[in-house]
Amino acid sequence: YALVVDDENNVGIGNSAPRAILDVLSGTANTGGGAIDVGLFTGVTRAMTDHVALLQLQSNTAQAADAGATLGFGALVTNSSTAADMLAVIKGAKENGTTGNKDGYLAFGTREHSAGITEAMRIDSDGNVGIGESSPDRQLHITGGEAIFRLENTAGTAKYWDFGAWDAGKLYIAENANKRIVIDAGGVFEFSSATNNADISFRWQENAMGGECRRMTIDAGNFNWYFQSAGGSATHLTIA
């Protein structure tokens, strides 16, 4: 069957029993797989290295850097009409303007109401991921006025840790928005305890299974430095 239109106006190409408004089939039709609304494309699995896709979008603009195809996502944007607009895009495009060169990137764009759609993330031809960065130099490259990534635990006592590049080139580690460690561009370390006038302790352990532990504590009141090995008494150094 080349093309079939059933009594519900569903169109089947290669399929005599279309399951969606448009059902395109190569080979044997699947069954099940959940409800299908508008479109269904079915075919054999292909490896990425085959350079063959089940569905391909192409641009016919003359070859150039950033020439490529875009897939858009939109929705109704008002309560009072059928007005819709684009909200996000995925773009696959050429990375450079060199003729015959096939380096490509995949970009993800999101929309801020007053600014329109802008690129939020990119995966370049080397597999580097840029967030806020269109030319990533590392496997993960984050760029911004205050570039931060967060690790958050939701089990037990909820807590999150931020790692970020801060004002004047400083690197910081923060716990629940409280900066605990700051390293400036000159290599100076700053440490902050969880409460004011609290001791700061550094502990190191021989192995991850609970081997001998050694500790260094800075007394917040007298600025004494205490050094202690496992099972031993503490010795201290006073800095006047």
Side-chain angles (χ1 to χ4, degrees), residues 47-128:
M48 283 189 178
T49 52
D50 289 345
H51 300 164
V52 177
L54 191 63
L55 175 65
Q56 185 176 151
L57 306 179
Q58 291 190 354
S59 165
N60 59 6
T61 300
Q63 82 82 23
D66 299 317
T70 301
L71 179 64
F73 302 85
L76 296 177
V77 293
T78 69
N79 292 327
S80 57
S81 73
T82 57
D85 212 333
M86 192 88 74
L87 303 176
V89 300
I90 298 175
K91 179 180 180 180
K94 201 169 182 299
E95 205 165 58
N96 56 64
T98 304
T99 184
N101 187 292
K102 299 176 184 178
D103 286 347
Y105 68 81
L106 184 66
F108 299 81
T110 56
R111 182 169 193 163
E112 184 180 357
H113 173 66
S114 59
I117 294 176
T118 57
E119 183 175 319
M121 185 176 78
R122 177 180 295 207
I123 305 172
D124 72 8
S125 59
D126 292 321
N128 294 330

Side-chain angles (χ1 to χ4, degrees), residues 53 57 61 72 74 76-77 98 143 159 164 171 188 193 209:
L57 306 179
T61 300
L76 296 177
V77 293
T98 304
T143 299
K159 188 179 290 291
L171 172 70
V188 176
S193 59
M209 301 304 293

Side-chain angles (χ1 to χ4, degrees), residues 166-189:
W166 186 41
D167 178 55
K170 294 180 180 179
L171 172 70
Y172 74 83
I173 301 174
E175 171 259 336
N176 283 8
N178 300 304
K179 291 182 176 67
R180 299 295 180 223
I181 300 175
V182 177
I183 308 172
D184 71 14
V188 176
F189 282 69

Side-chain angles (χ1 to χ4, degrees), residues 28-41:
T28 303
N30 296 335
T31 58
I36 302 163
D37 188 7
V38 176
L40 173 64
F41 293 78

